Amino acid sequence: MKKFQDQVAFVTGGASGMGELMVEMFAAQGAKVIAADINEAALEEKWGKNEQVSIVKLNVTSDEDWQAAVEKTITELGKIDILVNNAGISTEKGINDITIEDWRRLSDINSFGPFLGMKHVSPHMEKVKKGSIVNISSYTALIGMGLNPYSASKGAVRAISRAAAADFGKHGIRVNTVFPGIIETPMTKGLESSKDVVAGLIKMTPLQRLGQPVDVVNAVLFLASDEASYITGAELVIDGGYSAR
Ligand SMILES: NC(=O)c1ccc[n+]([C@@H]2O[C@H](COP(=O)([O-])OP(=O)(O)OC[C@H]3O[C@@H](n4cnc5c(N)ncnc54)[C@H](O)[C@@H]3O)[C@@H](O)[C@H]2O)c1
């Protein structure tokens, strides 16, 4: 039997990068997957023909979008076993360039989004006394990597995840957080043009390479699975050792 046979996994940001691979790997392990993303065209292009994957246009900052997407999933599939709050955006701007709008937008998408996801999905998990939530933070939440709204928004993910783990445990819902380092996805594509920066980052990384989406997605699948049934409130850093220095 496959690891996620008969389970339903809801993945935000499922149209690109790590989220795209999560959708693929959950489906390969037998799950029915909801690939949710603001980019409907990319969802359609990637998942439109996959029978195990349902696509839903979802802006993670919209209460109404979450309400509709979760209701549709429950009506069609009856439950949500797994939620991965993965959708996110980043910025290269430093303290002198950041606008108030930048700050609000990053915190809206990166931390209010996961809050809304947990708010809408957890009641359905609570009803069946079982569920697993994995939130995607970032190594920038743990170390000083430039004073910008990205780190702050990801620090908030860490805090709300721990709070949710403490609150939801009695309902059989586990909440864990993953902290990726620099992973080669469309989000970090800009790095390709600065070979010196990449060489410097690799030099600073004990494992001497950048991360690949599969490095993170393997850990997400583990935390989401029943193999991790006594793990909640955990914080797993996947950065090749960068933040351990
Ligand atoms: N790539 C890295 O180096 C890295 C490092 C640490 C953390 N992360 C985090 O990992 C997660 C995935 O990143 P990725 O590298 O795969 O990025 P990506 O840019 O490849 O994918 C992000 C996805 O989120 C979607 N998205 C953006 N705003 C949205 C919104 N408002 N509503 C719904 N969907 C929205 C995008 O359309 C896109 O499909 C993000 O939360 C990111 O912050 C990435």
Side-chain angles (χ1 to χ4, degrees), residues 101-152:
E101 289 70 34
D102 291 331
W103 188 286
R104 291 197 171 129
R105 184 155 176 269
L106 268 105
S107 94
D108 218 19
I109 295 174
N110 291 355
S111 36
F112 184 58
F115 164 74
L116 278 182
M118 293 196 286
K119 172 176 152 57
H120 283 280
V121 172
S122 63
H124 298 283
M125 294 176 161
E126 193 177 325
K127 269 185 207 149
V128 294
K129 290 265 169 220
K130 188 167 188 281
S132 178
I133 298 172
V134 182
N135 292 328
I136 310 299
S137 179
S138 164
Y139 75 123
T140 59
L142 306 172
I143 53 174
M145 284 293 287
L147 180 51
N148 68 42
Y150 185 72
S151 310

Side-chain angles (χ1 to χ4, degrees), residues 6-10 31-34 51-54 69-81:
D6 303 325
Q7 295 198 28
V8 177
F10 193 113
K32 293 259 185 234
V33 189
I34 315 302
E51 284 179 4
Q52 261 175 269
V53 180
S54 307
V70 170
E71 257 177 41
K72 185 170 182 283
T73 306
I74 297 297
T75 304
E76 290 175 3
L77 300 172
K79 60 176 183 166
I80 299 174
D81 299 286

Side-chain angles (χ1 to χ4, degrees), residues 12-20 22 36-39 42 58-61 85-90 105 109-110 136-140 150 154 178-188 191 213 216:
T12 70
S16 173
M18 291 188 259
E20 181 182 347
M22 287 172 206
D37 204 288
I38 200 165
N39 188 342
L58 170 91
N59 180 348
V60 293
T61 69
N85 283 306
N86 162 77
I89 57 167
S90 63
R105 184 155 176 269
I109 295 174
N110 291 355
I136 310 299
S137 179
S138 164
Y139 75 123
T140 59
Y150 185 72
K154 292 299 188 178
V178 164
F179 298 74
I182 296 172
I183 312 296
E184 291 190 275
T185 71
M187 184 178 274
T188 51
L191 278 176
V216 176

Side-chain angles (χ1 to χ4, degrees), residues 50-70:
N50 188 317
E51 284 179 4
Q52 261 175 269
V53 180
S54 307
I55 59 179
V56 58
K57 182 171 192 248
L58 170 91
N59 180 348
V60 293
T61 69
S62 162
D63 198 41
E64 294 76 25
D65 280 8
W66 271 107
Q67 175 94 30
V70 170

Side-chain angles (χ1 to χ4, degrees), residues 148-198:
N148 68 42
Y150 185 72
S151 310
S153 68
K154 292 299 188 178
V157 171
R158 181 187 198 192
I160 59 173
S161 301
R162 291 178 74 100
D167 274 359
F168 295 166
K170 59 183 172 295
H171 302 305
I173 304 169
R174 298 184 297 105
V175 186
N176 292 294
T177 316
V178 164
F179 298 74
I182 296 172
I183 312 296
E184 291 190 275
T185 71
M187 184 178 274
T188 51
K189 211 158 176 47
L191 278 176
E192 278 173 13
S193 57
S194 32
K195 296 218 169 356
D196 291 351
V197 175
V198 172

